[in-house]
Amino acid sequence: MLLVVTYSQAARQTLRNVCNGHEETVVQRLGRAALLEATELGAFLALRLRAKHGGDVQVERTAPFNEFADVPRAVREAAAAYEDRERPSTPYAKFAVDTDHPDAEAMRDAEL
């Protein structure tokens, strides 16, 4: 998919118009951003926005997030355990103490 992010009011208005006129190419609208199909038409629409608004439009190609291929098992298990904790107000750093779950600081610096 193509992620189109706008940084000005004029670019946002043009993005809205593009989305309204080409609903079949829009995967999701996100306010000042939109996900477009990774097709030639999607690329044309994204590049048209950037040609019109220059630096006020950012276009990125996205890849699907596969948690089982991209994320270590320990992180997946920690996320599930944290969401299933007894007290919802417990911060993760406190929750992870004296467990096998990864430390928040260690995860912060570890790239996927």
Side-chain angles (χ1 to χ4, degrees), residues 60-80:
E60 298 287 338
R61 187 173 197 155
T62 66
F65 177 68
N66 181 337
E67 67 184 89
F68 300 102
D70 300 335
V71 181
R73 176 184 296 252
V75 174
R76 293 192 315 268
E77 290 174 354

Side-chain angles (χ1 to χ4, degrees), residues 35-55:
L35 286 168
L36 304 179
E37 292 283 349
T39 62
E40 289 183 358
L41 180 58
F44 169 80
L45 296 170
L47 294 175
R48 180 179 153 231
L49 281 161
R50 194 161 58 189
K52 183 173 184 176
H53 298 286

Side-chain angles (χ1 to χ4, degrees), residues 19 45 103:
C19 289
L45 296 170
D103 177 70

Side-chain angles (χ1 to χ4, degrees), residues 47-108:
L47 294 175
R48 180 179 153 231
L49 281 161
R50 194 161 58 189
K52 183 173 184 176
H53 298 286
D56 287 341
V57 175
Q58 177 182 351
V59 179
E60 298 287 338
R61 187 173 197 155
T62 66
F65 177 68
N66 181 337
E67 67 184 89
F68 300 102
D70 300 335
V71 181
R73 176 184 296 252
V75 174
R76 293 192 315 268
E77 290 174 354
Y82 184 61
E83 275 308 304
D84 196 34
R85 66 195 182 277
E86 290 180 22
R87 302 175 117 186
S89 61
T90 303
Y92 181 76
K94 185 176 179 182
F95 170 82
V97 171
D98 296 328
T99 70
D100 291 335
H101 300 306
D103 177 70
E105 289 299 318
M107 289 191 294
R108 180 173 288 115

